Amino acid sequence: MSRECITLPEVADPGASSPAHSPRNRTTSTATVFTEPGCEGDFFTLRPVTGHGSARLQLGSVVFG
C-alpha cells in the first residue's frame, strides 16, 4: 500500500476535455477516489478487485490503501 495521492493524467493535462470517470478498482487494495486533484474534494471508496463507479462519478485523484 503506497498511500500516495495520484492525480489522474486526464486531470493533470490542461488540454484534456473532461475529467476521468467510470472508475474500476482491479487491485487488491481499497481505492479512494476524489473529485479534485491532490486528493481533495468529495470522495468515494471502491472495494478491492470488484469496486466500480458509474459514468456520473467524475474524479481527479486516487489513493490506494
Side-chain angles (χ1 to χ4, degrees), residues 19-63:
H21 62 84
S22 308
R24 302 234 180 260
N25 183 13
R26 297 196 174 135
T27 72
T28 57
S29 298
T30 298
T32 303
V33 296
F34 295 82
T35 57
E36 302 294 329
C39 294
E40 298 287 330
D42 294 332
F43 64 91
F44 185 79
T45 303
L46 303 175
R47 291 185 311 263
V49 184
T50 61
H52 65 278
S54 74
R56 293 185 311 227
L57 180 57
Q58 296 185 347
L59 52 138
S61 54
V62 62
V63 66

